[in-house]
């Protein structure tokens, strides 16, 4: 199933790897995609089931 990701706000170099980072609009910290989670959107695009990145990070949403 497709996943919709916005452009990252920043990138961090970790050895030979580049890690994209997104800013949480609540705490304003730059975090990896794993720290956001996803939600299923059936209505985002016409007749396409898609997962989208959550806007707030898991810490700000109260998840562990």
């Amino acid at each position: 199933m497709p996943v919709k990701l916005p452009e990252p706000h920043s990138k961090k170099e970790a050895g030979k790897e580049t890690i994209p980072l997104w800013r949480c609009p609540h705490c304003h910290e730059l975090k990896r995609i794993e720290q956001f989670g996803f939600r299923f959107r059936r209505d985002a695009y016409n007749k396409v089931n898609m997962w989208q990145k959550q806007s707030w990070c898991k810490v700000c949403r109260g998840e562990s």
Side-chain angles (χ1 to χ4, degrees):
M1 191 165 308
V3 175
K4 175 110 172 103
L5 289 177
E7 287 296 314
H9 294 105
S10 181
K11 293 182 181 179
K12 175 177 135 182
E13 297 294 327
K16 296 180 180 180
E17 190 177 0
T18 301
I19 301 169
L21 301 171
W22 287 266
R23 185 175 311 278
C24 173
H26 187 255
C27 67
H28 305 288
E29 291 184 27
L30 290 170
K31 299 184 177 188
R32 292 174 167 223
I33 195 67
E34 297 87 10
Q35 295 175 334
F36 285 93
F38 293 90
R39 64 181 171 180
F40 183 70
R41 295 286 307 271
R42 190 177 304 268
D43 62 334
Y45 297 92
N46 191 21
K47 299 182 181 180
V48 176
N49 296 332
M50 185 165 294
W51 290 89
Q52 287 187 312
K53 177 182 110 16
Q54 291 278 355
S55 57
W56 286 14
C57 68
K58 290 179 180 180
V59 173
C60 291
R61 287 195 324 266
E63 297 178 22
S64 39

